[in-house]
Amino acid sequence: MPKPIYVLSGPNLNLLGTREPEIYGHQTLDDIHRLCEARATSLGFTVVCRQSNHEGVLVDWIQEARFDASAVVLNPAAYGHTSVALLDALKMLSIPVVECHLSNPAARESFRRKTYVSLVAAGVVSGFGGASYELAVEAAAGLAR
Ligand code: CA2
């Protein structure tokens, strides 16, 4: 059995399904995690799904992924646009990173057009709601093989 794919989500995503459904959809993060698990299982992988509102916790999990994961799917949320610390942690990985977003940040405010994560991600899946995560898991599994 390969090592799990880490599915990591950043700040405020614990509140999914409670506000702004026109942007982020009606699914909760638990719903999305279940979809990721099902997709990973169908591809012969497992997932470890986690969310934190704290930048340093996300850095710790990315560091842990160096040894314990076969790939990382990351929705950095707002930290994607601001965090050099996340970028530096991701640079230390030798496993694939797939960035994902529920919305399409390129079609929103200009400050969302750039993410630091994109500098090291193998690819980015954006704009498909919860399906962005499923597609990112599929891409990560393909890259980790
Ligand atoms: O589209 C995405 O997945 C984002 O990563 C979401 C971030 C945003 O800062 C990025 O530009 C794009 C914001 C997450 C906010 O989460 C919410 C959860 C529930 C209700 C409202 C917002």
Side-chain angles (χ1 to χ4, degrees):
M1 184 62 110
K3 291 177 186 174
I5 297 170
Y6 274 27
V7 178
L8 304 179
S9 296
N12 297 308
L13 290 165
N14 55 309
L15 297 180
L16 270 187
T18 65
R19 287 183 53 238
E20 300 187 85
E22 65 289 354
I23 301 176
Y24 298 115
H26 290 279
Q27 290 167 309
T28 66
L29 193 58
D30 279 347
D31 294 334
I32 292 170
H33 286 169
R34 276 191 285 273
L35 293 172
C36 290
E37 191 171 358
R39 183 66 64 103
T41 301
S42 75
L43 297 165
F45 280 81
T46 56
V47 282
V48 168
C49 297
R50 297 176 182 161
Q51 184 276 336
S52 178
N53 294 327
H54 304 281
E55 189 177 18
V57 173
L58 292 162
V59 167
D60 287 343
W61 290 341
I62 291 166
Q63 289 189 9
E64 181 185 302
R66 285 185 299 160
F67 307 108
D68 294 350
S70 58
V72 173
V73 168
L74 175 62
N75 183 348
Y79 287 147
H81 310 301
T82 63
S83 177
V84 177
L86 283 189
L87 172 63
D88 286 345
L90 290 166
K91 278 184 175 169
M92 293 173 206
L93 295 178
S94 51
I95 55 175
V97 176
V98 179
E99 180 178 357
C100 80
H101 298 277
L102 298 153
S103 67
N104 178 4
R108 298 178 64 191
E109 302 97 323
S110 58
F111 65 83
R112 295 187 201 276
R113 289 200 193 122
K114 188 190 107 193
T115 80
Y116 288 104
V117 174
S118 301
L119 294 171
V120 290
V124 185
V125 186
S126 299
F128 302 106
S132 291
Y133 277 75
E134 287 183 88
L135 293 166
V137 165
E138 186 164 345
L143 292 167
R145 271 214 175 81

